[in-house]
Amino acid sequence: MSELLFEPLEFRNLTVKNRILRSNVSGRFDHYDGTGTQARINWELRFARGGVGAIVSSWCGVHRRGFIVPGYASIESDERIPFWRELGRRVHEHDCPFILQLAFGGRQRDVNGVEFAKGWSSTDEPDPLHGFECERMTKAQIEEVTESFAEGARRAKEAGLDGVEIHGANGYVFTQFLSSAINDRDDEYGGSLENRARFLLETVRAIRARVGDEFHLQVKLSTTEYGNALLPWAPKGNTIEDSVQVARWVEEAGADAIHVSSGNTFPHPDNPAGAFSAADVVATYDVLLSSGRHTFRNYLLFRTWPFSRIVEHRAGRSLKRVEGANLGDAAAVKAAVSIPVLCTGGFQRASTIADALRRGDCDAVTIARALIATPDLVEHYRAGRDEPPRPCSYCNKCLYAVLESPLGCYDERRYPSREAMLEEILSVFRDDPAAAA
Amino acid sequence: MILEPLRLGPLTLRNRVLRSSVGGRWDNYDGSGTEVRINWDVKFARAGVGAIISSNSPVHSRGAILPGYALIDSDERIPFWRELGRRVHEHGCPYILQINHAGRERVLPGLTYPKGLSSTDDPEPLNGFPCEAMTVEQIQEVVAMFAAGARRAREAGLDAVEVAGANGMMQTQFLSSAINDREDEYGGSLENRARFGLEVVRAMREAVGPDFCLGYKISIEERLDELLPWHKRGNTVEESIQMCRWLEEAGVDYLHVSAGAGFPHPRNPAGSFPAAEMVKTYDTLLSSGRHTLRNYVTFRTWPLNRGFAWWWQRVGKRLGIEGINLASSRAVKQAVSVPVLCTGGFQTASVISGAIERGDCDGVTIARPFVANPDLVRHFEAGRDRAPRPCTYCNKCLFNFVENPLGCYEEARYDSREEMLAEILSVYEPAAA
């Protein structure tokens, strides 16, 4: 059964040894200004060693104005190339391609930092969670950001990496343009779906023109936005039908693969889908209480009963609905395009993945949380196990701890003791603990 | 006078203006050091300061105020400090490692230890993070950690070690009559409250030998009531002076005078209270600990936030910010024969030389004005009384560092906001030779 998982996947410009890719997931391992550190290399090596087919990097900013949080290595200038070259070199030692995810946050930020009071977006409406200020981008600013994506891709190529992914999903700048729930422009970048997709398609073409035809380029999309997941009265945003059309256009513009996700914000109840503990969230996502327009509302919502219970009810997802929740969307996209389709969303069991591949819902899956819990998940599949002995519980503590604490699995139940958990989490700072492997 | 060498026991400094302990969260979460900290300290070494006192380096990860400070908790840390010392020495600048255990005094407790250790079970007053009173066995462990930290400083080729005994750190938590509520041999009488700090000094002296410079930083005026009016005042000046005498007997080579039995405190850093910065960057005040709602209301709600800022600033206004601790320092100097360093807002050559000439202190240590003007000593050398764009004591530097890089955030001192940000972020660029 697991044979399907281990069939190589051929993209137009890149071959991947199996069908399980590490999805983009970020820790604040780097310096405030976006220079990379050894800790990030150590982090990525875990997954390369664990046998994943390829790694999609963490969220990597192409332009300082678009950073979502300090402490993520960026690709904003040529000075960053040597770091990514070294990271790529180390990951390649394990026969693992490395795809750099190019990103721009727009109005959606986790920690707004000191550098820019206002994010750039399609709109001047602040993000709904924090209420961080933002401003509507001018045409010149759109062009500047498009150019920085093209330059980011060129730098990735020069660093010897194996491809790039445009982060067009999860509420970041391209979602802010694509989404009918967010984009309120009346120029050529707003209004019709065609107009709303213009910025993304221009960026795809700009990257393709810069890096040539031979360099892998994929695009991540939130194919269903579920804009009303938290607040029932909020607009739903784009549907799968809209996104299938966008995917076709993206293919025409020169992309080599589509990566399917969901939700028009991050975090979003459907991504990361699973448990939601208001108290845990707010202890580390404390900018919710300190910055932006909505601090008092957030204090009440997240810290005060019964509001916190209501938030938990709306934001939590039954674990039965977590694994493969985006497969229906992936299948719809796959039916419409001829390039490979990757799907993310809670994958953890070999049988689920194999079924999806057999049905042709997608060509490969990408995994973040389950790999954080079990970096050598692929080896468990190879050994014939359907899931690892101590699977990810979708508690989501990893993704909520990240602003204040090192990224890692924070589900204490998965470890023999709390000490063992902390030891495992902090081991990322030790230079290459298993270099011999 | 201020540019003359100063002897601190076995160590001779090139002048009397020292960079005081101040550092950002430059390092990794686990306490391993990074190149950024080296860049930060080299900046001051190159600019001619008499010596650098490191930012506090915890002797154990449980004693860290917040993650992101390089630790001195194991021998594995020595190579980092050796490299830092080497790079600072290239500029002829001695390096004093300040070692600490924060006890209950934490800004961001981090993952590893939900409870801080202290003399008491009472949480610190600002966040209300939980802590537990140490057993005698735990106290002895911490004493041994300080000794090991001092030994590592010497093995790393650094020039001195200083105990961060002031500003609400563990030693304050024992010494202070406002905090220590023990009934054993570490609490009660002044002699008992002093026991922990003195044991630390004796153990460190034994670890480093007689020919290595050992200093101790102490808050002479504790005045917790100046931060929160319902709080007990803490030790009298006379009690603090007695502690200084005992420290001299225990073998310190110098004393370093500060104020406040907690940090932050209206005397340290004296000046403005930037509430708007504070709530954004000290956001654990709102998210963690016992007092989140009180803090939300106090620091974010008019007129309470204005009232608190007024309450804070009146202390500095009453006492004067520059040289705020000189009266304390003078009292210490009269009681002991070891050299005395004084901290607190210094940035004017005539004020510093006046203090030294009067015998109020033997040298000064500076944090904020050096953050604003790393080359302050160069201005003094050129005969200027002050830097052209002096520190305004806005305190934004110290209230930004939890989330943002340490640096001068006083926009009025720069031509533009862009220039300010470029200057702040330059710490990440490799230090030029």
Side-chain angles (χ1 to χ4, degrees), chain A residues 337-412:
Chain A
V337 299
S338 58
I339 50 180
V341 173
L342 313 177
C343 185
T344 195
F347 292 104
Q348 174 153 243
R349 280 177 296 188
S351 52
T352 311
I353 302 169
D355 288 347
L357 295 172
R358 190 178 309 109
R359 283 195 307 268
D361 291 351
C362 61
D363 298 283
V365 299
T366 74
I367 301 178
R369 289 170 293 167
L371 277 167
I372 293 176
T374 314
D376 59 349
L377 184 60
V378 173
E379 297 306 326
H380 289 286
Y381 297 159
R382 198 186 299 281
R385 284 177 213 117
D386 191 40
E387 67 175 4
R390 289 194 263 184
C392 168
S393 65
Y394 308 107
C395 74
N396 284 330
K397 289 183 182 170
C398 50
L399 300 182
Y400 289 110
V402 70
L403 292 191
E404 233 164 64
S405 307
L407 186 59
C409 175
Y410 285 79
D411 187 349
E412 266 187 69

Side-chain angles (χ1 to χ4, degrees), chain B residues 199-227:
Chain B
E199 285 181 350
V200 163
V201 168
R202 287 193 207 101
M204 287 170 64
R205 179 53 82 199
E206 197 172 313
V208 295
D211 57 341
F212 190 70
C213 177
L214 195 172
Y216 194 100
K217 190 172 189 181
I218 181 168
S219 290
I220 301 297
E221 294 269 13
E222 296 205 327
R223 295 304 301 263
L224 277 175
D225 57 321
E226 287 177 347
L227 180 67

